[in-house]
Amino acid sequence: MATRHTHQEHLGHVVFITAAAAIGGFLFGYDSSVINGAVTGIQRHFRVGAVEIGFVVAIALLGSALGAWVGGGLADRWGRTRSMKVAAVLFTVSSIGQMLPFAIWDLALWRVMAGFAIGMASVLGPAYIAEVAPPAYRGRLGSFQQLAIVLGIAVSQLVNYLIAQLAGGKVNNHLWGLQAWQWMLGACAVPALLYLLFASAIPESPRYLIMSGRSRKAREVLVEVEGEDVDLDTRIAEIQHVLRTERVPGLKDLRGRAFGLLPIVWIGIILSAFQQFVGINVIFYYSSVLWQSVGINQSNSLLISFSSSIINIIGTFIAISLVDRIGRKPLLLIGSAGMTIALGTAAWAFSAATGAGGALPSPQGPIALVAANVFVLFFALSWGVVVWVLLGEMFPNRIRAAALGVAAAAQWLANWAITVSFPALSEWNLPLTYAMYALFALLSLLFVAKWIKETKGRKLEDMG
């Protein structure tokens, strides 16, 4: 009985550590999707067109790509927790800057800084969680990153809706001396300060501690995260052997004969790209504008965006319950099949639009809304969670941080390409745009079937 109680206490402590690290994922979701509610307000306040607003929305993703690219190296140089503190400070400063811009280019620069912090968080969370989680629980604990992301998305949409309601339903109305959209962008400073607090309270990764020569401290952390019954000498020797025979990872370690990179790195890059090419972030960056374009008012479009975020959370909980039971690869295959059907259905529904600003007729209007939310559900229960779990697991120890950084950077570049192109593509042909996303979903199914290997239950030291 005492042993069971001790085990539960230990597992509870590991869950706390993991959840604290995943606050970076919450900020990732919050800061990247908060722009959804502010798009109309920014466009009207600065009197800019579709090209400029598309640039402002998408430019944060270039900052994210850079942050993800260098985040792995910073994590190996400074440590996982110290890098988290840097990201938290960047989140805080950029949020205040976005809240008080004096020009459209000024806002764009603050969004680049916010993007850099988001990119760092996209690397630091999965790497840290994978390194502190016991193998038996790694899939579920690794899923905390995506759960935090979708919670961040949902909270941002809820906060946007509430701020808009307080301002009378319009994002350009004034509230406490500022326009509503400014409060939307500034609200991220609150969770950013919490991230800084928790990053100061959690232990450093045992693998980083051993890498930096602090084996005694690593032993303490291993007891903290894996329990007192773990064979410390064996675990330390296991990690030390890997680190002795491998150098600290750098970008040059990723080089291979397959078009300049190792095959496993290309698999991570393509996996990351497919996660974005299905168009998921069109829902989270532009849904309020999209639904307004088919006849829904501004306030209700924000409410619909929030409802999609709730469906995203439900799908994420489904994934967390299944990822360690049925495995990573089956979930990806299920998700790809479901997304293909949902996106194809949405493409058909949007083909009935009567023109720019015209509402969809019945039954295409309700079908488009249902299809979009079914797409979100299948993404959330599969690709949303599993890609982050896999990126934290699939690479060998010697290249994990650097390879994760490159794969995450590729993800942000793919995200940028989808985000910056959607306004123009949707104006040109919205049904064909969604048909393209459906095609990418189908291609992702074929890619997973051929190239992705199952990682469920394997130790990180066995990856290769």
Side-chain angles (χ1 to χ4, degrees):
M1 194 72 179
T3 303
R4 180 183 297 179
H5 179 70
T6 303
H7 175 74
Q8 289 175 342
E9 267 191 352
H10 159 68
L11 185 58
H13 183 60
V14 174
V15 169
F16 168 77
I17 292 171
T18 305
I23 295 175
F26 180 91
L27 285 161
F28 170 171
Y30 193 107
D31 216 350
S32 60
S33 63
V34 70
I35 195 70
N36 188 10
V39 167
T40 303
I42 294 168
Q43 192 167 7
R44 291 176 180 172
H45 179 73
F46 291 113
R47 298 178 182 177
V48 295
V51 173
E52 291 92 340
I53 198 65
F55 174 79
V56 170
V57 172
I59 195 170
L61 303 174
L62 296 181
S64 298
L66 180 61
W69 182 271
V70 304
L74 293 179
D76 285 333
R77 192 174 299 117
W78 297 346
R80 278 50 164 164
T81 56
R82 188 179 298 176
S83 298
M84 289 179 194
K85 294 174 191 175
V86 172
V89 171
L90 292 176
F91 273 122
T92 306
V93 173
S94 64
S95 297
I96 296 170
Q98 288 181 84
M99 185 181 184
L100 304 169
F102 53 82
I104 193 71
W105 64 265
D106 170 48
L107 176 60
L109 289 177
W110 290 116
R111 283 189 55 72
V112 171
M113 179 185 288
F116 189 89
I118 292 168
M120 287 185 67
S122 74
V123 172
L124 295 171
Y128 178 86
I129 292 171
E131 291 180 350
V132 300
Y137 300 102
R138 196 174 60 234
R140 276 165 283 181
L141 293 176
S143 301
F144 275 31
Q145 171 78 357
Q146 181 62 20
L147 176 60
I149 291 171
V150 299
L151 285 172
I153 292 170
V155 171
S156 74
Q157 302 311 300
L158 179 59
V159 170
N160 284 353
Y161 175 72
L162 294 176
I163 290 173
Q165 290 301 106
L166 286 172
K170 300 289 185 182
V171 296
N172 288 103
N173 289 351
H174 279 79
L175 181 67
W176 305 312
L178 298 173
Q179 291 187 23
W181 65 266
Q182 292 177 269
W183 287 110
M184 291 176 181
L185 296 180
C188 184
V190 175
L193 290 172
L194 286 175
Y195 187 35
L196 180 62
L197 178 67
F198 280 104
S200 304
I202 59 178
E204 183 53 83
S205 156
R207 286 175 179 79
Y208 173 77
L209 291 170
I210 292 173
M211 187 187 298
S212 57
R214 289 180 281 170
S215 295
R216 181 177 296 177
K217 181 63 178 175
R219 294 175 75 91
E220 296 174 9
V221 176
L222 280 170
V223 169
E224 194 174 341
V225 299
E226 295 195 15
E228 294 182 359
D229 56 344
V230 68
D231 187 338
L232 285 177
D233 291 333
T234 299
R235 290 293 289 122
I236 292 286
E238 193 175 51
I239 297 170
Q240 283 179 333
H241 173 72
V242 172
L243 294 176
R244 265 199 313 269
T245 55
E246 321 283 354
R247 293 177 294 106
V248 175
L251 295 179
K252 61 181 179 294
D253 297 298
L254 307 183
R255 294 173 186 165
R257 295 180 181 179
F259 301 100
L261 292 173
L262 294 169
I264 189 66
V265 178
W266 277 118
I267 290 172
I269 289 171
I270 297 170
L271 189 72
S272 292
F274 271 130
Q275 192 198 47
Q276 298 303 317
F277 283 163
V278 296
I280 187 61
N281 280 315
V282 166
I283 298 290
F284 297 119
Y285 297 161
Y286 293 112
S287 64
S288 65
V289 176
L290 178 64
W291 297 123
Q292 287 174 58
S293 74
V294 292
I296 296 172
N297 67 39
Q298 191 177 108
S299 180
N300 286 340
S301 70
L302 290 172
L303 194 57
I304 290 172
S305 296
F306 174 63
S307 68
S308 296
S309 301
I310 296 300
I311 290 169
N312 199 16
I313 294 172
I314 293 169
T316 301
F317 275 115
I318 293 172
I320 290 172
S321 69
L322 295 178
V323 67
D324 281 326
R325 294 182 185 178
I326 70 172
R328 286 64 160 152
K329 185 170 181 174
L331 274 182
L332 289 180
L333 293 172
I334 291 167
S336 293
M339 289 190 298
T340 302
I341 295 169
L343 288 167
T345 303
W348 168 79
F350 283 127
S351 68
T354 57
L360 287 173
S362 183
Q364 284 87 348
I367 288 173
L369 185 57
V370 170
N373 284 325
V374 169
F375 162 57
V376 170
L377 178 65
F378 273 98
F379 177 87
L381 65 81
S382 59
W383 283 75
V385 167
V386 176
V387 169
W388 289 111
V389 173
L390 277 174
L391 291 180
E393 293 179 335
M394 65 188 286
F395 302 113
N397 257 21
R398 65 185 178 85
I399 63 167
R400 180 171 297 112
L404 181 53
V406 171
Q411 186 173 127
W412 286 113
L413 288 172
N415 190 346
W416 174 83
I418 293 297
T419 303
V420 79
S421 64
F422 177 76
L425 286 173
S426 63
E427 283 187 10
W428 167 64
N429 193 317
L430 183 59
L432 198 57
T433 301
Y434 267 80
M436 178 184 70
Y437 299 152
L439 175 61
F440 279 125
L442 178 60
L443 292 174
S444 73
L445 187 150
L446 300 176
F447 173 76
V448 170
K450 181 168 178 59
W451 294 105
I452 297 300
K453 295 180 180 178
E454 185 58 69
T455 58
K456 182 182 72 169
R458 296 174 62 192
K459 290 182 181 180
L460 294 183
E461 284 70 32
D462 295 336
M463 301 298 176

